[in-house]
Amino acid sequence: MPRILFLTAVLSITLFSCTTKAFVQKPAELKGKKIGIGPIKIEATKKGGKLATKDTICLCIGQSAGEAFQPYLQEAGFRVVNLYLKEIMDVNQAYLAADSLQVDYILFGSGTADIQGKYTYMDQLTVKLVNVKTREVVVSGSFTGSATSPIKAAGKIGKKILQQMK
C-alpha cells in the first residue's frame, strides 16, 4: 500500500508541476492581422536517457508544435499562414520570407524536449510573436513542465494567448 501512495504522489507532482504563462501587449490591434508560423527550434536534452544531439526528430517536433498553435491563433482573430521555414534558416531570412508574403507578424519559438523511445516530452517551450516591420515583441508565452507532448505544450500556450486576447 505505501508503494501505491508513493507512486500516486510522484505521478501527481509530475503531472501538475507545469507552468504556462502568456502576455499579449495590444490585443485590439492584433485582430485580423496576418501571422506567419515561423521556425520553432527544439533541442533534445536527452534521448533514451543519454544526452542527445540535434537531429531531424527535433525539426519534426518543432513543426508539429507550430501547427498546434494555428487553431488558437485563428480563434483569436488572426489570419494564419504557415511559412514552412527550415530550422537552419536564420532570423533575417525568416523576416524576409514573412515580408515577401505580406505577413504582419511572425511567431518564433524555442524549446527543449526529452525523447524516450517513440515518445517526446517537452521540458520547456517559449514563443514570441514579433512585428515583421518594427521587430517589436507583442505576444510572448512559455511552458515549463514535464510529461507533456509538444502539441499539448503548444496548446497550453495557445489557450493562454487566446484568454489574453478576449
Side-chain angles (χ1 to χ4, degrees):
M1 188 68 156
R3 178 183 246 172
I4 292 173
L5 291 174
F6 174 75
L7 290 175
T8 304
V10 169
L11 183 60
S12 296
I13 291 168
T14 302
L15 291 176
F16 298 108
S17 63
C18 66
T19 304
T20 307
K21 298 178 182 177
F23 175 73
V24 178
Q25 192 173 32
K26 302 170 187 172
E29 293 179 20
L30 299 174
K31 299 220 182 217
K33 297 295 183 179
K34 193 173 184 181
I35 294 188
I37 304 291
I40 297 182
K41 297 180 181 183
I42 304 294
E43 291 186 22
T45 54
K46 296 179 199 161
K47 189 172 181 181
K50 300 177 183 177
L51 288 178
T53 58
K54 286 186 180 182
D55 57 18
T56 55
I57 293 173
C58 294
L59 181 59
C60 291
I61 294 168
Q63 287 174 340
S64 65
E67 290 169 0
F69 280 106
Q70 288 182 5
Y72 299 103
L73 295 172
Q74 288 172 329
E75 191 175 337
F78 296 115
R79 295 178 298 140
V80 181
V81 175
N82 194 333
L83 299 177
Y84 296 104
L85 302 172
K86 296 182 179 173
E87 185 177 8
I88 57 173
M89 181 177 279
D90 75 12
V91 175
N92 288 326
Q93 289 174 316
Y95 282 118
L96 288 173
D99 191 44
S100 70
L101 292 170
Q102 298 177 339
V103 169
D104 300 305
Y105 298 90
I106 186 167
L107 182 81
F108 291 105
S110 63
T112 57
D114 182 5
I115 301 170
Q116 297 290 330
K118 295 189 286 184
Y119 302 100
T120 302
Y121 303 101
M122 291 304 296
D123 296 323
Q124 66 89 19
L125 178 62
T126 302
V127 296
K128 60 184 177 180
L129 187 64
V130 182
N131 184 309
V132 173
K133 302 231 184 298
T134 67
R135 310 289 166 96
E136 175 187 18
V137 176
V138 294
V139 176
S140 60
S142 66
F143 166 85
T144 56
S146 59
T148 301
S149 71
I151 292 172
K152 286 184 180 176
K156 287 177 184 245
I157 297 171
K159 285 178 187 174
K160 288 282 189 180
I161 290 171
L162 185 57
Q163 289 171 353
Q164 292 278 321
M165 292 293 294
K166 291 183 177 184

